[in-house]
Amino acid sequence: MESYGTLPDGREVGLYTLVNSHGLRAKVTDFGAILVSMETPDRDGTLAPITLGFDTLEGWLKDDCYLGATVGRFGNRVRDGKFTVDGKEYTLATNNTPGGIPCHLHGGVVGFNKRLWDAQPSADGHSVTFTYLSPDGEEGYPGNLTARVTYTLTDDNELIWEAEATTDATTPLNMVHHTYWNLGGDLSTPILDHLLALDADTFLPTDSGLIPTGEKAPVDGTPMNFKEPRVIGERIEADFEPLHLAGGYDHCWVVNGEPGTLRPAARLSHPGSGRVMEVITDQPGIQFYAGNFLPNYRTGLCLETQNFPDAPNQPAFPDSLVRPGETYRHVMVHRFGVE
Ligand code: BGC
């Protein structure tokens, strides 16, 4: 552990470096359980950073794009910032207004990404576990929640982000890992030349406030079809209503196969560098966000495995409630390679 500086209230922030036997390097911090950087080799073996981030802690303190963040309690959007549990209505911050319509986004004003977590590096040096106690009522959510996130860098060139949580009162939960990837290694270049494949036959269309309508729409015959690898820039400006509403790709795809079992969700590759990243998850959905709202427009893309947006208000969506006695689990594997 090295010091990553101090918070305005004086608490010390740590930076942890994970290195594997092939030289891949991941840096994580206990502030926000954030992935600060990830470096992988290109097809010639040259190591380069492939995630958007900041040089210093100050950058993450000010960040409003959730770079590298662990997002919670509920990642993605909740309609009107409201949900009902056991007959009681809860009101959350409405900190996002797509299409001029207020909604709750990524856990609220001070989400998990702005909290200082406890850190516990593993004895073998391959992983770090971060723990955060989110008190009852925090950001409007019920229950004292114990959230845990472990980053592991394996010798199989996998970066694993694993979340689990328990609570003493029923609460919605959708912990999300929010790294912006740019496999080219030049972080100022748009990601439009990357090839993406998604293991998804359907996606979730939204209304103009980017809340899912509840429909699962087939991707066939639309610019949302990534069943085979496609260049991201090829259809991002297509005349297709869901793309107009979101200003590009910013949607949740329904990952094929059974939620709760680990299965492939996405494959991202960059022809110039040869870098490849596969994403494997146990979650129902994957949000592919092309960085349309980034100050440096579309210079990174997110592949966020998660439950469906607005799940707390949509009974047909997978259950998003964690109850006392249950353990929430979310596994996300990033497997790096070259071709
Ligand atoms: C969402 C975007 C949002 C961004 C905030 C993404 O997960 O899909 O709509 O603007 O997070 O950085």
Side-chain angles (χ1 to χ4, degrees):
M1 197 270 273
E2 53 187 293
S3 173
Y4 200 39
T6 48
L7 296 179
D9 65 12
R11 286 178 297 166
E12 180 134 0
V13 176
L15 184 67
Y16 299 80
T17 303
L18 305 171
V19 185
N20 79 358
S21 58
H22 307 285
L24 277 71
R25 185 157 53 210
K27 293 191 179 192
V28 295
T29 174
D30 44 20
F31 180 70
I34 284 168
L35 176 67
V36 168
S37 66
M38 178 78 218
E39 291 170 78
T40 68
D42 64 9
R43 67 164 73 87
D44 299 324
T46 307
L47 212 62
I50 58 165
T51 62
L52 301 192
F54 303 99
D55 294 335
T56 62
L57 177 62
E58 281 61 43
W60 307 99
L61 291 172
K62 292 196 206 110
D63 167 61
D64 58 4
C65 295
Y66 304 86
L67 270 55
T70 291
V71 172
R73 292 189 192 185
F74 200 90
N76 216 316
R77 296 189 166 83
V78 178
R79 183 190 293 274
D80 302 329
K82 289 195 190 300
F83 63 89
T84 301
V85 173
D86 297 333
K88 185 169 175 213
E89 187 180 76
Y90 292 86
T91 302
L92 309 170
T94 46
N95 55 327
N96 190 234
T97 47
I101 304 168
C103 67
H104 179 76
L105 177 71
H106 291 341
V109 179
V110 187
F112 286 0
N113 59 308
K114 299 285 186 194
R115 305 285 178 182
L116 185 63
W117 299 53
D118 287 331
Q120 185 65 56
S122 68
D124 64 9
H126 289 306
S127 47
V128 183
T129 297
F130 298 115
T131 306
Y132 176 63
L133 265 63
S134 169
D136 181 37
E138 184 179 71
E139 289 292 330
Y141 289 95
N144 294 293
L145 182 93
T146 304
R148 216 162 254 134
V149 165
T150 301
Y151 286 94
T152 305
L153 182 61
T154 72
D155 285 333
D156 295 326
N157 293 341
E158 294 169 335
L159 178 73
I160 305 173
W161 178 93
E162 259 174 289
E164 59 173 56
T166 53
T167 182
D168 65 4
T170 304
T171 179
L173 192 69
N174 192 25
M175 291 174 66
V176 171
H177 179 66
H178 206 280
T179 285
Y180 289 82
W181 303 97
N182 186 333
L183 301 185
D186 173 358
L187 301 175
S188 62
T189 309
I191 44 71
L192 298 174
D193 59 348
H194 286 49
L195 282 153
L196 178 68
L198 296 171
D199 294 82
D201 296 339
T202 57
F203 77 103
L204 305 177
T206 68
D207 61 18
S208 52
L210 302 186
I211 302 292
T213 58
E215 185 201 354
K216 290 180 185 162
V219 296
D220 288 342
T222 78
M224 314 305 267
N225 187 348
F226 285 92
K227 289 182 188 173
E228 301 295 329
R230 298 292 293 259
V231 176
I232 290 172
E234 197 186 312
R235 298 167 299 168
I236 198 168
E237 305 292 353
D239 189 8
F240 185 62
E241 202 199 3
L243 290 176
H244 293 317
L245 291 177
Y249 292 112
D250 190 1
H251 302 81
C252 189
W253 273 256
V254 179
V255 178
N256 294 335
E258 268 310 296
T261 58
L262 272 184
R263 63 216 191 282
R267 184 182 196 274
L268 183 68
S269 61
H270 180 256
S273 68
R275 285 193 187 83
V276 179
M277 180 180 80
E278 291 167 275
V279 178
I280 298 144
T281 191
D282 58 359
Q283 292 296 295
I286 186 165
Q287 181 92 5
F288 161 39
Y289 169 50
N292 312 307
F293 299 116
L294 280 175
N296 297 325
Y297 191 53
R298 295 179 176 162
T299 48
L301 68 97
C302 299
L303 292 166
E304 313 156 40
T305 60
Q306 56 186 258
N307 199 340
F308 299 163
D310 200 37
N313 294 311
Q314 308 221 15
F317 283 179
D319 185 16
S320 64
L321 298 179
V322 188
R323 300 165 185 81
E326 295 177 352
T327 301
Y328 166 90
R329 286 182 218 282
H330 177 168
V331 181
M332 183 185 204
V333 180
H334 306 87
R335 187 176 294 152
F336 300 100
V338 288
E339 61 184 13

